[in-house]
Amino acid sequence: MLTKDELPICPVATTVQIIGSKWKLLILRNLMQRPWRFNELKKDLAGISQKVLTDSLRSMEADGIIDRTVYAEVPPRVEYALSEIGETLRPVIDAMAEWGGKYKDLLK
């Protein structure tokens, strides 16, 4: 996780740095519903490569916005869920969904 000194001064730039990629936003959208397993995410996010999904999940875990839980089973089961900090992104994603819906309505 980055320190405050390593983050941009601008709060918008900080947000973009943490969640600004297309895939991270779509991963967060899914994780707002429930915990997901890696292969479920890969199947649901059409077009994402395994590398990009892996890198995005690792980055979001390092930033503290998702939790990775490994269950001691055979074969091992791993689930990804929003962390306590990640839950604070819920209003941001909800606002984006609302704006996107309104934008689409304006284009009709």
Side-chain angles (χ1 to χ4, degrees):
M1 190 179 312
L2 297 174
T3 66
K4 287 182 184 180
D5 293 335
E6 295 171 314
L7 292 170
I9 293 171
C10 172
V12 173
T14 296
T15 304
V16 169
Q17 181 173 326
I18 301 299
I19 65 165
S21 80
K22 165 189 169 181
W23 294 116
K24 285 183 181 181
L25 288 168
L26 295 177
I27 293 166
L28 289 169
R29 175 204 62 193
N30 284 20
L31 295 180
M32 285 175 53
Q33 299 169 14
R34 61 177 173 81
W36 288 66
R37 295 175 71 175
F38 183 90
N39 285 331
E40 290 178 309
L41 286 167
K42 182 148 180 3
K43 186 181 277 186
D44 191 70
L45 300 171
I48 193 169
S49 70
Q50 184 163 332
K51 180 184 181 345
V52 169
L53 180 56
T54 298
D55 291 348
S56 296
L57 290 168
R58 284 181 182 161
S59 172
M60 291 190 296
E61 184 182 11
D63 289 333
I65 59 175
I66 66 168
D67 290 326
R68 179 179 184 267
T69 305
V70 180
Y71 295 92
E73 300 174 351
V74 177
R77 178 170 52 110
V78 178
E79 287 186 343
Y80 298 90
L82 290 179
S83 67
E84 192 174 324
I85 294 171
E87 284 290 342
T88 67
L89 288 166
R90 208 172 268 282
V92 175
I93 306 298
D94 287 342
M96 291 176 75
E98 182 180 341
W99 184 88
K102 288 179 181 177
Y103 178 77
K104 286 170 66 172
D105 289 345
L106 291 172
L107 295 178
K108 290 182 180 179

